[in-house]
């Protein structure tokens, strides 16, 4: 479907490559695969494939280098630090190596409203987050990782059209940035497309909560 995130499936080695496999294995598979032919003299051959897909099409956390404005990333780092080989600063690799462990706190906004999912373009306000926490009997503490449930993810199977699913996404208002900062939240996540609501009342700014969290606060 041309409206949905696209994955590209390609064959890297097929049956016609068997005769010349050793010629490009050093660049493709490394020395272990080349040993099958050059060292062990085995008759074993193989076919292989790979999938290329945009990382925005699945569960993911934004690196601090993912979004910025006014020509500066977090801590004043230049966007030029992001090259065709990846981010040389503010990359996700630090999280990959060390991981992040903290107290997780689920704020179920959809359930608080008695809904399966929030209506399209619903903007969750700081006051509502406080109300949900109070109703659930939980305190938002410094260092918490807050997960906000909108119930929007199951709508993907219902709406089918990826453009409609993304365009109508409910989520947090940009004003929640102050709430996250005041509570000392360490990181934030959600079950929607981009954490924040698709339509935000900020003239001339796209995804303002991204800029406030990633660029200004260094919050994943």
């Amino acid at each position: 479907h041309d409206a949905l995130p696209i994955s590209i499936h390609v064959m890297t080695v097929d049956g016609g490559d068997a005769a010349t496999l050793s010629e490009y294995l050093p660049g493709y598979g490394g020395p272990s695969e080349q040993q099958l032919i050059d060292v062990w003299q085995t008759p074993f051959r193989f076919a292989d494939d790979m999938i290329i897909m945009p990382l925005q099409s699945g569960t993911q956390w934004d690196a601090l280098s993912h979004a910025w404005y006014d020509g500066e990333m977090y801590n004043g780092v230049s966007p030029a630090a992001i090259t065709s080989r990846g981010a040389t600063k503010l990359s996700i690799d630090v999280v990959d190596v060390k991981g992040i462990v903290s107290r997780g706190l689920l704020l179920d906004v959809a359930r608080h409203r008695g809904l399966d999912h929030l209506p399209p373009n619903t903007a969750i306000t700081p006051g509502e987050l406080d109300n949900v926490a109070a109703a659930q009997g939980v305190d938002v503490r410094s260092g918490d990782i807050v997960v906000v449930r909108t119930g929007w993810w199951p709508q993907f199977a219902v709406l089918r059209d990826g453009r409609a699913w993304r365009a109508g996404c409910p989520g947090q208002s940009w004003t929640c940035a102050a709430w996250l900062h005041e509570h000392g939240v360490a990181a934030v996540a959600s079950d929607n497309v981009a954490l924040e609501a698709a339509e935000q009342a900020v003239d001339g700014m796209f995804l303002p909560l991204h800029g406030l969290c990633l660029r200004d606060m260094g919050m994943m």
Side-chain angles (χ1 to χ4, degrees):
H1 195 297
D2 61 2
L4 300 178
I6 296 173
S7 61
I8 302 172
H9 180 209
V10 297
M11 295 298 298
T12 53
V13 181
D14 62 32
D17 296 323
T20 58
L21 207 54
S22 62
E23 294 180 8
Y24 64 88
L25 271 177
Y28 162 72
S32 60
E33 286 87 350
Q34 191 177 17
Q35 282 185 336
L36 294 172
I37 296 174
D38 295 343
V39 179
W40 299 338
Q41 299 296 312
T42 171
F44 175 80
R45 297 294 185 268
F46 61 92
D48 215 338
D49 56 353
M50 67 178 179
I51 291 177
I52 305 168
M53 61 182 288
L55 296 182
Q56 295 286 346
S57 65
T59 299
Q60 42 95 198
W61 237 2
D62 290 341
L64 297 183
S65 55
H66 176 58
W68 63 92
Y69 64 90
D70 287 348
E72 287 188 357
M73 298 191 293
Y74 177 60
N75 270 350
V77 175
S78 169
I82 306 172
T83 71
S84 59
R85 301 188 66 178
T88 60
K89 294 183 179 180
L90 306 180
S91 176
I92 201 69
D93 63 334
V94 178
V95 177
D96 175 56
V97 173
K98 291 186 175 182
I100 293 178
V101 178
S102 191
R103 175 179 179 258
L105 185 65
L106 172 66
L107 298 181
D108 194 338
V109 178
R111 183 175 182 180
H112 180 73
R113 293 194 183 192
L115 301 172
D116 291 333
H117 62 82
L118 298 184
N121 296 314
T122 298
I124 301 167
T125 64
E128 184 164 24
L129 293 178
D130 283 330
N131 292 338
V132 173
Q136 294 180 182
V138 297
D139 295 321
V140 184
R141 304 173 189 170
S142 177
D144 282 350
I145 297 175
V146 173
V147 181
V148 178
R149 179 177 175 271
T150 68
W152 193 245
W153 175 250
Q155 285 297 96
F156 183 80
V158 175
L159 294 175
R160 299 293 181 183
D161 189 323
R163 286 169 295 190
W165 184 73
R166 290 191 296 268
C169 177
Q172 295 178 54
S173 161
W174 67 272
T175 59
C176 288
W179 185 92
L180 294 166
H181 178 70
E182 290 164 3
H183 286 81
V185 172
V188 62
S190 191
D191 63 342
N192 59 0
V193 179
L195 182 68
E196 58 190 291
E199 293 185 6
Q200 298 267 23
V202 180
D203 291 339
M205 188 65 182
F206 177 67
L207 296 180
L209 188 57
H210 275 61
L212 292 168
C213 287
L214 294 169
R215 192 263 204 189
D216 294 345
M217 294 192 289
M219 176 182 292
M220 298 189 67

Short mmCIF file of all heavy atoms in Angstrom, two decimals, residues 43-87:
data_model
loop_
_atom_site.label_atom_id
_atom_site.label_comp_id
_atom_site.label_asym_id
_atom_site.label_seq_id
_atom_site.Cartn_x
_atom_site.Cartn_y
_atom_site.Cartn_z
N PRO A 43 31.24 -28.15 -0.18
CA PRO A 43 30.30 -27.94 -1.30
C PRO A 43 29.09 -27.09 -0.90
O PRO A 43 28.26 -26.78 -1.73
CB PRO A 43 29.86 -29.37 -1.64
CG PRO A 43 29.98 -30.11 -0.35
CD PRO A 43 31.18 -29.52 0.34
N PHE A 44 29.04 -26.71 0.37
CA PHE A 44 27.91 -25.94 0.86
C PHE A 44 27.82 -24.58 0.18
O PHE A 44 28.80 -23.87 0.04
CB PHE A 44 28.06 -25.74 2.37
CG PHE A 44 27.00 -24.85 2.99
CD1 PHE A 44 25.75 -25.35 3.30
CD2 PHE A 44 27.26 -23.51 3.25
CE1 PHE A 44 24.79 -24.55 3.87
CE2 PHE A 44 26.30 -22.69 3.82
CZ PHE A 44 25.06 -23.20 4.14
N ARG A 45 26.62 -24.24 -0.31
CA ARG A 45 26.34 -22.92 -0.87
C ARG A 45 25.04 -22.42 -0.23
O ARG A 45 24.30 -23.18 0.39
CB ARG A 45 26.20 -22.98 -2.39
CG ARG A 45 27.47 -23.42 -3.11
CD ARG A 45 28.59 -22.40 -2.95
NE ARG A 45 29.76 -22.78 -3.73
CZ ARG A 45 30.77 -23.51 -3.25
NH1 ARG A 45 30.70 -23.99 -2.02
NH2 ARG A 45 31.80 -23.79 -4.00
N PHE A 46 24.74 -21.16 -0.42
CA PHE A 46 23.55 -20.63 0.25
C PHE A 46 22.96 -19.46 -0.53
O PHE A 46 23.62 -18.87 -1.38
CB PHE A 46 23.89 -20.17 1.68
CG PHE A 46 24.92 -19.06 1.73
CD1 PHE A 46 24.53 -17.73 1.73
CD2 PHE A 46 26.27 -19.35 1.77
CE1 PHE A 46 25.46 -16.71 1.77
CE2 PHE A 46 27.21 -18.35 1.82
CZ PHE A 46 26.81 -17.02 1.82
N ALA A 47 21.72 -19.18 -0.24
CA ALA A 47 21.06 -17.97 -0.71
C ALA A 47 20.74 -17.13 0.53
O ALA A 47 20.56 -17.66 1.62
CB ALA A 47 19.77 -18.30 -1.47
N ASP A 48 20.70 -15.81 0.36
CA ASP A 48 20.42 -14.95 1.51
C ASP A 48 19.69 -13.69 1.05
O ASP A 48 19.68 -13.37 -0.14
CB ASP A 48 21.71 -14.59 2.23
CG ASP A 48 21.53 -14.49 3.74
OD1 ASP A 48 20.37 -14.29 4.18
OD2 ASP A 48 22.52 -14.62 4.48
N ASP A 49 19.10 -13.00 1.99
CA ASP A 49 18.34 -11.82 1.65
C ASP A 49 18.37 -10.82 2.81
O ASP A 49 18.89 -11.13 3.89
CB ASP A 49 16.89 -12.18 1.30
CG ASP A 49 16.18 -12.94 2.42
OD1 ASP A 49 16.85 -13.32 3.41
OD2 ASP A 49 14.97 -13.16 2.31
N MET A 50 17.82 -9.65 2.55
CA MET A 50 17.73 -8.65 3.61
C MET A 50 16.53 -7.75 3.35
O MET A 50 15.99 -7.70 2.23
CB MET A 50 19.01 -7.81 3.70
CG MET A 50 19.27 -6.90 2.53
SD MET A 50 20.79 -5.93 2.80
CE MET A 50 20.86 -4.99 1.28
N ILE A 51 16.11 -7.07 4.40
CA ILE A 51 15.01 -6.13 4.31
C ILE A 51 15.51 -4.74 4.66
O ILE A 51 16.21 -4.55 5.65
CB ILE A 51 13.86 -6.53 5.27
CG1 ILE A 51 13.20 -7.82 4.78
CG2 ILE A 51 12.83 -5.42 5.38
CD1 ILE A 51 12.12 -8.33 5.69
N ILE A 52 15.17 -3.77 3.81
CA ILE A 52 15.49 -2.37 4.06
C ILE A 52 14.20 -1.66 4.42
O ILE A 52 13.21 -1.76 3.68
CB ILE A 52 16.12 -1.72 2.81
CG1 ILE A 52 17.34 -2.53 2.35
CG2 ILE A 52 16.51 -0.27 3.09
CD1 ILE A 52 17.84 -2.12 0.98
N MET A 53 14.19 -0.96 5.54
CA MET A 53 12.95 -0.31 5.95
C MET A 53 13.26 0.96 6.75
O MET A 53 14.31 1.07 7.37
CB MET A 53 12.11 -1.25 6.82
CG MET A 53 12.78 -1.69 8.10
SD MET A 53 11.78 -2.86 9.06
CE MET A 53 10.49 -1.77 9.65
N PRO A 54 12.37 1.95 6.68
CA PRO A 54 12.57 3.17 7.46
C PRO A 54 12.35 2.87 8.94
O PRO A 54 11.42 2.15 9.31
CB PRO A 54 11.49 4.11 6.91
CG PRO A 54 10.44 3.21 6.36
CD PRO A 54 11.16 2.00 5.85
N LEU A 55 13.21 3.41 9.79
CA LEU A 55 13.11 3.13 11.22
C LEU A 55 11.92 3.82 11.87
O LEU A 55 11.59 3.54 13.02
CB LEU A 55 14.41 3.52 11.91
CG LEU A 55 15.64 2.71 11.48
CD1 LEU A 55 16.87 3.15 12.25
CD2 LEU A 55 15.41 1.23 11.67
N GLN A 56 11.27 4.72 11.15
CA GLN A 56 10.08 5.36 11.68
C GLN A 56 8.84 4.48 11.56
O GLN A 56 7.76 4.87 11.97
CB GLN A 56 9.82 6.69 10.95
CG GLN A 56 10.89 7.74 11.17
CD GLN A 56 10.82 8.36 12.56
OE1 GLN A 56 9.84 8.21 13.26
NE2 GLN A 56 11.86 9.06 12.95
N SER A 57 9.01 3.29 11.01
CA SER A 57 7.83 2.44 10.75
C SER A 57 7.61 1.41 11.84
O SER A 57 6.80 0.51 11.67
CB SER A 57 7.99 1.74 9.40
OG SER A 57 9.10 0.85 9.44
N GLY A 58 8.31 1.51 12.94
CA GLY A 58 8.13 0.55 14.02
C GLY A 58 8.43 1.18 15.36
O GLY A 58 8.70 2.39 15.46
N THR A 59 8.40 0.38 16.41
CA THR A 59 8.68 0.88 17.75
C THR A 59 10.10 1.42 17.81
O THR A 59 11.06 0.74 17.44
CB THR A 59 8.50 -0.25 18.77
OG1 THR A 59 7.16 -0.72 18.73
CG2 THR A 59 8.83 0.23 20.17
N GLN A 60 10.25 2.64 18.28
CA GLN A 60 11.58 3.25 18.36
C GLN A 60 11.57 4.44 19.31
O GLN A 60 10.52 4.99 19.61
CB GLN A 60 12.07 3.70 16.98
CG GLN A 60 11.05 4.38 16.11
CD GLN A 60 11.04 5.91 16.18
OE1 GLN A 60 10.09 6.51 15.79
NE2 GLN A 60 12.05 6.57 16.66
N TRP A 61 12.76 4.75 19.78
CA TRP A 61 12.97 5.92 20.61
C TRP A 61 13.84 6.89 19.83
O TRP A 61 14.83 6.48 19.22
CB TRP A 61 13.67 5.53 21.90
CG TRP A 61 12.91 5.91 23.14
CD1 TRP A 61 11.70 6.51 23.20
CD2 TRP A 61 13.34 5.70 24.48
NE1 TRP A 61 11.33 6.68 24.51
CE2 TRP A 61 12.31 6.20 25.32
CE3 TRP A 61 14.48 5.15 25.06
CZ2 TRP A 61 12.41 6.16 26.70
CZ3 TRP A 61 14.55 5.11 26.44
CH2 TRP A 61 13.53 5.62 27.24
N ASP A 62 13.50 8.16 19.85
CA ASP A 62 14.29 9.15 19.12
C ASP A 62 15.61 9.44 19.84
O ASP A 62 15.63 9.72 21.04
CB ASP A 62 13.52 10.47 19.01
CG ASP A 62 12.33 10.37 18.08
OD1 ASP A 62 12.30 9.44 17.26
OD2 ASP A 62 11.44 11.24 18.16
N ALA A 63 16.70 9.38 19.09
CA ALA A 63 17.97 9.88 19.61
C ALA A 63 17.88 11.40 19.74
O ALA A 63 17.03 12.05 19.11
CB ALA A 63 19.11 9.50 18.67
N LEU A 64 18.74 11.98 20.54
CA LEU A 64 18.73 13.44 20.71
C LEU A 64 19.13 14.15 19.42
O LEU A 64 18.91 15.35 19.28
CB LEU A 64 19.66 13.85 21.85
CG LEU A 64 19.28 13.32 23.24
CD1 LEU A 64 20.25 13.86 24.29
CD2 LEU A 64 17.85 13.69 23.60
N SER A 65 19.72 13.41 18.50
CA SER A 65 20.10 14.00 17.21
C SER A 65 18.97 13.91 16.18
O SER A 65 19.17 14.29 15.03
CB SER A 65 21.34 13.27 16.66
OG SER A 65 21.10 11.87 16.59
N HIS A 66 17.81 13.44 16.60
CA HIS A 66 16.73 13.21 15.62
C HIS A 66 16.05 14.50 15.16
O HIS A 66 15.63 14.60 14.01
CB HIS A 66 15.69 12.28 16.23
CG HIS A 66 14.49 12.04 15.35
ND1 HIS A 66 14.59 11.53 14.08
CD2 HIS A 66 13.17 12.27 15.57
CE1 HIS A 66 13.39 11.44 13.55
NE2 HIS A 66 12.50 11.89 14.41
N ALA A 67 15.93 15.48 16.05
CA ALA A 67 15.18 16.69 15.68
C ALA A 67 15.80 17.92 16.35
O ALA A 67 16.36 17.83 17.44
CB ALA A 67 13.71 16.55 16.11
N TRP A 68 15.69 19.06 15.67
CA TRP A 68 16.23 20.30 16.19
C TRP A 68 15.57 21.47 15.49
O TRP A 68 14.73 21.31 14.61
CB TRP A 68 17.75 20.36 15.99
CG TRP A 68 18.17 20.35 14.54
CD1 TRP A 68 18.39 21.45 13.74
CD2 TRP A 68 18.41 19.21 13.71
NE1 TRP A 68 18.75 21.06 12.47
CE2 TRP A 68 18.77 19.70 12.42
CE3 TRP A 68 18.37 17.84 13.92
CZ2 TRP A 68 19.07 18.84 11.38
CZ3 TRP A 68 18.67 17.00 12.87
CH2 TRP A 68 19.02 17.50 11.62
N TYR A 69 15.93 22.69 15.88
CA TYR A 69 15.45 23.89 15.19
C TYR A 69 16.48 24.99 15.34
O TYR A 69 17.41 24.90 16.16
CB TYR A 69 14.08 24.34 15.73
CG TYR A 69 14.06 24.77 17.18
CD1 TYR A 69 14.29 26.10 17.52
CD2 TYR A 69 13.82 23.86 18.20
CE1 TYR A 69 14.27 26.51 18.85
CE2 TYR A 69 13.80 24.26 19.52
CZ TYR A 69 14.03 25.58 19.85
OH TYR A 69 14.02 25.98 21.16
N ASP A 70 16.37 26.01 14.52
CA ASP A 70 17.29 27.16 14.53
C ASP A 70 18.75 26.75 14.41
O ASP A 70 19.64 27.40 14.96
CB ASP A 70 17.10 27.99 15.80
CG ASP A 70 15.80 28.80 15.79
OD1 ASP A 70 15.17 28.88 14.71
OD2 ASP A 70 15.40 29.32 16.85
N GLY A 71 19.00 25.67 13.68
CA GLY A 71 20.37 25.29 13.37
C GLY A 71 21.17 24.72 14.52
O GLY A 71 22.41 24.63 14.42
N GLU A 72 20.52 24.32 15.61
CA GLU A 72 21.24 23.74 16.74
C GLU A 72 20.49 22.55 17.31
O GLU A 72 19.27 22.59 17.46
CB GLU A 72 21.45 24.77 17.85
CG GLU A 72 22.47 25.84 17.55
CD GLU A 72 22.76 26.71 18.77
OE1 GLU A 72 22.11 26.51 19.82
OE2 GLU A 72 23.62 27.60 18.67
N MET A 73 21.24 21.51 17.63
CA MET A 73 20.69 20.37 18.36
C MET A 73 20.92 20.59 19.85
O MET A 73 21.36 21.65 20.28
CB MET A 73 21.35 19.07 17.88
CG MET A 73 21.11 18.77 16.40
SD MET A 73 21.62 17.10 15.90
CE MET A 73 23.40 17.18 16.08
N TYR A 74 20.63 19.58 20.64
CA TYR A 74 20.81 19.66 22.09
C TYR A 74 22.25 20.06 22.45
O TYR A 74 23.21 19.63 21.83
CB TYR A 74 20.48 18.31 22.72
CG TYR A 74 20.68 18.24 24.21
CD1 TYR A 74 19.99 19.08 25.07
CD2 TYR A 74 21.57 17.30 24.76
CE1 TYR A 74 20.18 19.02 26.44
CE2 TYR A 74 21.75 17.22 26.14
CZ TYR A 74 21.05 18.10 26.97
OH TYR A 74 21.24 18.03 28.33
N ASN A 75 22.36 20.94 23.45
CA ASN A 75 23.65 21.44 23.92
C ASN A 75 24.41 22.23 22.85
O ASN A 75 25.64 22.35 22.90
CB ASN A 75 24.54 20.31 24.44
CG ASN A 75 24.34 20.07 25.92
OD1 ASN A 75 23.70 20.85 26.61
ND2 ASN A 75 24.90 18.99 26.44
N GLY A 76 23.68 22.77 21.88
CA GLY A 76 24.32 23.60 20.86
C GLY A 76 25.09 22.86 19.81
O GLY A 76 25.84 23.48 19.04
N VAL A 77 24.93 21.54 19.75
CA VAL A 77 25.65 20.74 18.75
C VAL A 77 25.12 21.04 17.35
O VAL A 77 23.91 21.14 17.14
CB VAL A 77 25.51 19.24 19.06
CG1 VAL A 77 26.15 18.39 17.96
CG2 VAL A 77 26.12 18.91 20.41
N SER A 78 26.04 21.19 16.40
CA SER A 78 25.65 21.49 15.03
C SER A 78 25.04 20.27 14.34
O SER A 78 25.52 19.14 14.53
CB SER A 78 26.87 21.94 14.24
OG SER A 78 26.58 22.01 12.85
N PRO A 79 24.00 20.47 13.52
CA PRO A 79 23.45 19.36 12.74
C PRO A 79 24.46 18.73 11.80
O PRO A 79 24.25 17.61 11.32
CB PRO A 79 22.31 20.02 11.96
CG PRO A 79 21.94 21.23 12.76
CD PRO A 79 23.23 21.71 13.35
N ALA A 80 25.57 19.43 11.53
CA ALA A 80 26.61 18.87 10.67
C ALA A 80 27.25 17.64 11.31
O ALA A 80 27.95 16.88 10.62
CB ALA A 80 27.69 19.93 10.39
N ALA A 81 27.00 17.43 12.59
CA ALA A 81 27.52 16.24 13.26
C ALA A 81 26.81 14.97 12.78
O ALA A 81 27.27 13.87 13.04
CB ALA A 81 27.36 16.37 14.78
N ILE A 82 25.69 15.15 12.08
CA ILE A 82 24.99 14.00 11.49
C ILE A 82 25.46 13.84 10.06
O ILE A 82 25.26 14.73 9.23
CB ILE A 82 23.47 14.21 11.51
CG1 ILE A 82 22.99 14.53 12.93
CG2 ILE A 82 22.75 12.97 10.98
CD1 ILE A 82 21.53 14.92 12.99
N THR A 83 26.09 12.72 9.76
CA THR A 83 26.64 12.47 8.44
C THR A 83 25.89 11.32 7.77
O THR A 83 24.99 10.72 8.36
CB THR A 83 28.14 12.10 8.55
OG1 THR A 83 28.25 10.78 9.12
CG2 THR A 83 28.88 13.10 9.43
N SER A 84 26.30 11.02 6.55
CA SER A 84 25.66 9.93 5.83
C SER A 84 25.93 8.58 6.49
O SER A 84 25.25 7.59 6.21
CB SER A 84 26.16 9.89 4.38
OG SER A 84 27.56 9.73 4.34
N ARG A 85 26.90 8.54 7.40
CA ARG A 85 27.21 7.30 8.11
C ARG A 85 26.55 7.24 9.48
O ARG A 85 26.73 6.29 10.22
CB ARG A 85 28.73 7.14 8.25
CG ARG A 85 29.46 7.11 6.92
CD ARG A 85 30.91 6.76 7.09
NE ARG A 85 31.11 5.40 7.58
CZ ARG A 85 32.29 4.85 7.78
NH1 ARG A 85 33.40 5.55 7.54
NH2 ARG A 85 32.39 3.61 8.25
N GLY A 86 25.80 8.29 9.81
CA GLY A 86 25.11 8.32 11.09
C GLY A 86 25.49 9.55 11.89
O GLY A 86 26.20 10.44 11.41
N ALA A 87 25.00 9.61 13.11
CA ALA A 87 25.27 10.74 13.99
C ALA A 87 26.58 10.53 14.74
O ALA A 87 26.76 9.50 15.40
CB ALA A 87 24.13 10.94 14.97
#
